[in-house]
Amino acid sequence: MTNLEKYIKAFEETFNITADQTKGLKYQAISEWDSVGHMSLIAALEDEFDIMIDTDDIIDFSSFEKGKEILSKYDVEIK
Amino acid sequence: MRANLKVVDAFWEKRNLGVCCNEIEIEPGDETDFLKRELPLNEAEYTVVKVPSNKFDAMFLMQDLGYTYIESSINLVHDLKEIRLNPLQQRIMNSISYSTMSNKDIDQLFGEIRKGIFTTDRIYIDPYFSHEQAANRYVNWICDELERGCKIFKLTYKNNSVGFFTFKDIGEGVCYPFLAGMYQDYLKSGLGLCTIEKPLKQAINMNYKQYSTFISSNNTSTFSAHVALNFSFKKIYHVYIKHTA
């Protein structure tokens, strides 16, 4: 499984959405992505990529696209 | 059967919203005929009626009398024995502190409220009222509660104020943090859990027995955050409104 597939899977499983719905997805655009969902998503990504995301980055993680940028700081390239 | 309805003259809403307001609380034993007779006699320019969740006859009567359902108010409680957080939540919560607000902090809070950080309450969503009125109502509410002795705290992350919570003693070892929220720049930060976790901590530190709160059904994210922090359901009532002005 590629990093992109793993990244999409984290969104799908956390928010119970399809891969199609992840593109352009932003925080609070769906009811599932609230503060509790946000924590669950971050936990899923930390587990999947074996990283620990800094709080500043957790705050900045405002969209599906932004998340890709943030993960690149942790040497997780999502293409 | 009661001789009179439980009617509160919500005089403070004249200052907040510019209308005379009556708040009526229906009780489980109130008979339909009694309500049909008494409710119209007790209406004001703006009438708010609270209906217990299992009072089905009253729910239909509200419709017959021209009322609009606007929200359900959900009472949740926490026994304060333990705040259960997962490791990630714990890590985030450890990075946020809280402290009593200074006058300058309170001014900042009022500025944040006026920016529109609350957007799900029954005044904000009601087209009869403006968003400015909804915000000023919160400011006035906090001012009134401060005069009555409630405490107010700011939430801080890396020296930045990110939100706030209020803290009120309602007796018998129960506290009621009646209002909390994140500031505009942090509304989408994912840190919202701290507006509940920190007052829980404060309640435990002050040896309270129970934390009680009311959440609007219009605010699903706050409801889910309380569920995540192991609150228990206590009761629910439905809120109906009517404008006659």
Side-chain angles (χ1 to χ4, degrees):
Chain A
M1 198 182 265
T2 66
N3 280 350
L4 178 60
E5 286 168 336
K6 290 178 186 173
Y7 184 67
I8 291 172
K9 186 169 148 258
F11 278 80
E12 287 178 309
E13 292 183 352
T14 303
F15 301 137
N16 198 23
I17 57 175
T18 62
D20 290 346
Q21 292 173 285
T22 59
K23 199 171 179 184
L25 188 65
K26 291 183 175 165
Y27 184 95
Q28 287 181 349
I30 52 172
S31 61
E32 290 83 355
W33 197 350
D34 58 11
S35 62
V36 175
H38 193 64
M39 295 282 180
S40 302
L41 175 67
I42 299 295
L45 293 170
E46 288 189 343
D47 282 350
E48 188 63 56
F49 297 110
D50 196 22
I51 53 175
M52 186 178 280
I53 302 174
D54 185 75
T55 307
D56 281 344
D57 289 328
I58 293 173
I59 291 171
D60 287 342
F61 201 118
S62 54
S63 69
F64 178 79
E65 300 302 332
K66 183 74 183 175
K68 290 181 186 175
E69 263 178 61
I70 287 170
L71 290 194
S72 71
K73 290 164 65 177
Y74 297 84
D75 294 327
V76 178
E77 294 301 329
I78 296 171
K79 289 175 183 167
Chain B
M1 192 175 114
R2 287 191 293 172
N4 298 103
L5 273 180
K6 187 176 174 185
V7 182
V8 174
D9 172 13
F11 58 88
W12 54 89
E13 299 295 23
K14 185 74 179 173
R15 172 194 57 178
N16 296 334
L17 307 171
V19 291
C20 294
C21 172
N22 278 351
E23 290 187 3
I24 299 172
E25 204 170 310
I26 289 177
E27 294 191 348
D30 289 340
E31 289 175 10
T32 313
D33 287 344
F34 167 73
L35 293 173
K36 210 179 275 181
R37 188 180 66 244
E38 291 296 320
L39 276 169
L41 298 175
N42 288 283
E43 287 175 354
E45 287 174 277
Y46 174 54
T47 309
V48 180
V49 181
K50 297 173 181 177
V51 179
S53 60
N54 57 352
K55 187 90 179 113
F56 307 122
D57 57 337
M59 289 161 61
F60 284 98
L61 179 62
M62 291 295 103
Q63 178 176 280
D64 293 344
L65 295 176
Y67 282 80
T68 301
Y69 168 79
I70 195 132
E71 67 177 355
S72 291
S73 186
I74 306 160
N75 186 197
L76 299 176
V77 294
H78 195 289
D79 63 13
L80 302 174
K81 286 185 180 141
E82 183 190 16
I83 306 173
R84 270 184 280 165
L85 298 172
N86 65 36
L88 174 65
Q89 290 169 338
Q90 189 67 66
R91 206 169 84 218
I92 307 295
M93 292 306 113
N94 287 347
S95 68
I96 298 167
S97 60
Y98 70 96
S99 56
T100 308
M101 277 195 180
S102 64
N103 287 339
K104 197 177 161 193
D105 294 323
I106 293 172
D107 286 343
Q108 183 188 7
L109 165 63
F110 290 168
E112 291 288 335
I113 290 173
R114 290 191 172 107
K115 282 182 197 169
I117 58 174
F118 297 117
T119 58
T120 59
D121 60 272
R122 67 176 159 83
I123 305 300
Y124 187 93
I125 66 172
D126 188 336
Y128 277 76
F129 301 122
S130 69
H131 292 169
E132 289 74 23
Q133 284 175 308
N136 282 328
R137 183 168 172 268
Y138 282 115
V139 169
N140 290 334
W141 184 16
I142 291 170
C143 288
D144 289 347
E145 291 293 354
L146 282 170
E147 275 182 22
R148 286 192 277 263
C150 96
K151 291 188 170 57
I152 187 155
F153 296 89
K154 65 176 173 179
L155 296 157
T156 307
Y157 171 68
K158 287 192 171 175
N159 294 321
N160 294 314
S161 294
V162 298
F164 80 101
F165 66 91
T166 57
F167 201 88
K168 183 179 176 180
D169 184 320
I170 55 171
E172 298 181 357
V174 182
C175 66
Y176 170 42
F178 60 92
L179 194 62
M182 297 300 288
Y183 289 170
Q184 188 78 46
D185 289 346
Y186 295 87
L187 280 175
K188 296 185 176 183
S189 65
L191 301 180
L193 217 58
C194 71
T195 61
I196 307 164
E197 190 262 355
K198 298 306 176 196
L200 277 172
K201 241 178 152 172
Q202 174 68 5
I204 291 170
N205 290 343
M206 293 186 70
N207 295 316
Y208 277 92
K209 290 180 196 158
Q210 192 182 68
Y211 175 122
S212 177
T213 189
F214 286 86
I215 296 166
S216 168
S217 55
N218 298 334
N219 193 349
T220 52
S221 60
T222 297
F223 182 75
S224 94
H226 281 80
V227 170
L229 286 171
N230 296 299
F231 275 73
S232 304
F233 171 80
K234 192 171 180 188
K235 65 183 172 189
I236 185 167
Y237 58 81
H238 305 309
V239 182
Y240 293 80
I241 58 153
K242 186 175 179 181
H243 294 275
T244 51

